[in-house]
Amino acid sequence: MEFAITLDNSSPVPLHRQLYEEVRQSILNGRLSAGSRLPSSRMLAASLGVSRSTVTQSYDQLISEGYLQTVIGSGTIVSEQLPDEWLTATAAKSGKAPEQGKQDKSLLSRLSIYGTSLADAAPLDAVEVQRPINFSIGVPALDQFPMKTWRRLLLRHCRDNPAKLLGYAAGSKGERVLREAISVYLARSRAVRCDPDQILIVNGSQQAIDLVTRILIDCGDTVALENPGYLGARRTFLAQGAKLVPVPVDDAGIIIDKLPSLLTKKVKLIYVTPSHQFPTGAVLSLSRRLELIARTAGTGALIIEDDYDSEYRYCSRPIPALQGLDENENVIYIGTFSKMLFPSLRVGYLVVPNSLSRIFERARWLADRQSPTLEQLVLADFINEGHLERHLRRMRALYDRRRQALVSALQQYFADRVTIMGENTGMHLMVKLSTGFDVDEVIERANKAGIGIVGAEIYYLKGAQPGEFVLGYANLAERKIQEGVRRLAKALR
Ligand SMILES: Cc1ncc(COP(=O)(O)O)c(C=O)c1O
């Protein structure tokens, strides 16, 4: 059988995917009829000048989707039975929606590399089963937010000049008054050095990570990142087609000696959470911060510093942000109000080197143009009138009590069966429980006892450790924390 197939070596679409698509289209448009024989993988590989595994990968995919089948003695043939897709396509033509749970494969085959990466089954975040007592990660004490003050500031803006607030903003960087307030706050509390023109207001740090990735990463580029680490960042890099190099962390943060050679591996980004490593809670030591900056200088790599919950420290003084220590404009700093105030506010910020700020502004315009004006103005007042710092002071004291309640309950009920990590900062603890049960069973038993907890496994790119969990405490009253740990211990007896 003649196979008129051309593969494009310069395309970002992998060769096995191109071949898969060509064969699939030939079947769908009838050029390859049911029962016809395909060349052996060795022959096809030789005639196309590709490796045999490229061909077997495409054949295997087509077999698993029902387009091809293997027949002993005849090799690989086009299936006698048509795959579901025909049924789905007919249903769509006749105006009927495809059955729930059945994906339209012909539509899926038209996806970009980015779209394809989102179609796979890996979750974007840990699944949290809601129970009466949830040790939710990254959720601040929502019932403690000073809503009265917020409402007063909101009303003031709605009363004063409402029409001015309703049109498009002049640029995409965000309201100047908010950028000024953030630059003052960052200089004072995080030793970040920037002027308001370097700040871009975004819809939470997740959008910041997305913009950085789109602007700096091409398919096939290398990104080094902490292992374990924040899933939202990892999945964003993967969706862009980045090659990931996991770097282990210990109790002083990312291990700099384990970084890949930045030059030979052509690392473009190093993603870190230095103030409070996610999820272990380690704080990157000053010496490692300086070493990371020194190692990165002149290599072409940029550091992304995700400072998502640095405001909550309970023991020692804060260590200055990497951004403020760096003299070479090699750090992109990301912050968020999701943990300081509340996550649905969707306000975060990027601090970028001057030379990149215009590009980031343009990318933001293309993504979704701007953040809502009214909330930005309210937030600027909230910061400038001292409400933010007051709220943070209160929350620091509250979370400290909740943290202590969690630590002492764990010690009381688990004694030497628990190891607690990263307990002096943030809004969650990572713990290792020796229970004799595997992680899934622990979660199931906890859920049955009315407790929502999350395993740490999902945060590892490789080498997950057994028995590790991440317990958020910021949004749980002390007595619920105590009760939750008691029930958990009982469920695991
Ligand atoms: C390490 C880390 N970075 C970023 C984020 C995203 O926060 P945002 O709500 O600002 O998108 C989170 C959320 O929990 C996080 O844990």
Side-chain angles (χ1 to χ4, degrees):
M1 192 197 66
E2 269 308 302
F3 240 76
I5 286 178
T6 32
L7 302 180
D8 178 3
N9 275 317
S10 64
S11 162
V13 181
L15 291 174
H16 68 86
R17 187 85 201 166
Q18 294 183 40
L19 180 58
Y20 156 91
E21 196 47 47
E22 290 267 344
V23 177
R24 208 182 71 86
Q25 283 307 331
S26 302
I27 297 170
L28 291 179
N29 62 28
R31 272 199 297 141
L32 284 176
S33 55
S36 55
R37 232 180 116 190
L38 277 92
S40 72
S41 56
R42 183 168 309 153
M43 273 172 56
L44 188 56
S47 75
L48 293 173
V50 297
S51 73
R52 197 168 159 209
S53 73
T54 300
V55 179
T56 47
Q57 232 179 315
S58 342
Y59 276 13
D60 287 349
Q61 184 65 30
L62 289 158
I63 290 168
S64 72
E65 290 178 13
Y67 290 96
L68 301 181
Q69 62 185 102
T70 45
V71 175
I72 297 163
S74 312
T76 308
I77 64 165
V78 176
S79 284
E80 306 281 0
Q81 305 261 317
L82 293 172
D84 290 1
E85 178 176 355
W86 286 100
L87 305 175
T88 330
T90 325
K93 268 191 211 130
S94 65
K96 271 193 250 156
E99 245 176 72
Q100 228 194 352
K102 262 191 193 168
Q103 292 183 309
D104 183 342
K105 290 190 193 123
S106 76
L107 279 182
L108 292 184
S109 70
R110 289 180 228 165
L111 297 174
S112 65
I113 295 177
Y114 181 84
T116 306
S117 83
L118 299 181
D120 83 23
L124 292 180
D125 205 350
V127 180
E128 254 191 72
V129 179
Q130 292 302 307
R131 291 287 177 242
I133 300 178
N134 292 302
F135 288 95
S136 301
I137 309 168
V139 184
L142 300 175
D143 59 351
Q144 298 295 315
F145 180 72
M147 196 52 94
K148 261 194 193 153
T149 308
W150 191 262
R151 192 170 56 217
R152 184 168 52 76
L153 301 177
L154 191 64
L155 282 176
R156 185 158 82 198
H157 282 283
C158 291
R159 221 174 15 231
D160 283 355
N161 200 350
K164 196 181 107 213
L165 307 176
L166 305 183
Y168 288 116
S172 293
K173 278 187 175 171
E175 291 299 307
R176 178 142 194 117
V177 60
L178 177 58
R179 287 187 283 119
E180 280 168 357
I182 290 173
S183 76
V184 172
Y185 167 75
L186 285 179
R188 194 171 53 233
S189 71
R190 303 294 306 120
V192 167
R193 289 178 300 177
C194 67
D195 65 57
D197 279 332
Q198 289 173 259
I199 295 181
L200 188 84
I201 307 295
V202 285
N203 286 331
S205 33
Q206 191 57 39
Q207 184 174 44
I209 295 168
D210 183 64
L211 288 176
V212 169
T213 309
R214 280 202 254 173
I215 290 172
L216 294 163
I217 296 298
D218 283 316
C219 191
D221 282 346
T222 301
V223 174
L225 74 183
E226 299 163 334
N227 184 53
Y230 177 52
L231 205 54
R234 184 168 106 207
R235 300 284 294 158
T236 307
F237 303 140
L238 274 178
Q240 189 75 358
K243 270 193 279 180
L244 302 185
V245 180
V247 186
V249 299
D250 62 15
D251 56 6
I254 188 168
I255 306 174
I256 309 295
D257 286 340
K258 298 275 167 78
L259 273 175
S261 159
L262 301 180
L263 274 176
T264 49
K265 293 272 182 216
K266 296 206 179 82
V267 174
K268 288 199 78 177
L269 287 182
I270 306 166
Y271 170 83
V272 284
T273 47
S275 310
H276 186 226
Q277 203 281 324
F278 187 91
T280 65
V283 179
L284 192 66
S285 63
L286 184 60
S287 59
R288 285 200 190 169
R289 285 176 197 237
L290 296 171
E291 209 185 329
L292 178 60
I293 288 167
R295 284 248 194 139
T296 310
T299 62
L302 285 176
I303 300 168
I304 309 182
E305 175 173 26
D306 182 351
D307 212 18
Y308 66 108
D309 73 354
S310 58
E311 290 75 20
Y312 304 118
R313 286 186 67 80
Y314 310 111
C315 292
S316 49
R317 278 172 55 78
I319 301 179
L322 283 171
Q323 195 272 1
L325 296 168
D326 168 51
E327 299 288 337
N328 309 301
E329 293 210 310
N330 276 339
V331 178
I332 292 179
Y333 178 90
I334 295 174
T336 180
F337 288 98
S338 288
K339 320 292 161 184
M340 289 191 258
L341 300 178
F342 56 98
S344 74
L345 180 61
R346 303 317 298 145
V347 179
Y349 42 91
L350 267 160
V351 179
V352 299
N354 272 311
S355 51
L356 296 181
S357 88
R358 204 166 126 74
I359 298 163
F360 271 90
E361 187 182 3
R362 291 178 158 201
R364 177 67 205 276
W365 197 102
L366 291 177
D368 61 344
R369 202 152 171 166
Q370 65 171 88
S371 295
T373 305
L374 186 56
E375 278 73 9
Q376 291 185 66
L377 297 179
V378 173
L379 179 52
D381 286 354
F382 193 84
I383 300 172
N384 289 333
E385 293 179 11
H387 305 298
L388 176 70
E389 305 239 4
R390 206 167 304 127
H391 180 60
L392 284 178
R393 265 197 306 276
R394 274 187 61 226
M395 291 308 101
R396 221 171 271 133
L398 180 72
Y399 298 166
D400 192 14
R401 291 198 298 275
R402 293 183 172 182
R403 172 185 71 95
Q404 288 179 33
L406 180 55
V407 170
S408 56
L410 285 167
Q411 285 164 345
Q412 179 186 347
Y413 291 106
F414 284 89
D416 58 356
R417 293 185 301 138
V418 64
T419 312
I420 299 171
M421 290 162 253
E423 61 177 290
N424 295 328
T425 42
M427 299 155 66
H428 67 256
L429 301 178
M430 184 152 140
V431 296
K432 192 176 172 79
L433 299 178
S434 316
T435 59
F437 300 113
D438 68 21
V439 171
D440 290 340
E441 176 135 24
V442 171
I443 292 174
E444 206 183 309
R445 283 170 171 257
N447 289 170
K448 277 197 188 131
I451 311 298
I453 59 166
V454 164
E457 198 174 4
I458 191 167
Y459 301 115
Y460 282 87
L461 196 51
K462 62 173 198 186
Q465 301 295 309
E468 286 181 347
F469 297 87
V470 185
L471 303 178
Y473 51 80
N475 196 29
L476 271 182
E478 283 156 60
R479 62 181 168 72
K480 282 210 165 185
I481 291 174
Q482 167 81 13
E483 172 62 9
V485 177
R486 189 190 66 77
R487 281 205 224 168
L488 183 64
K490 192 170 164 214
L492 298 173
R493 228 174 266 146

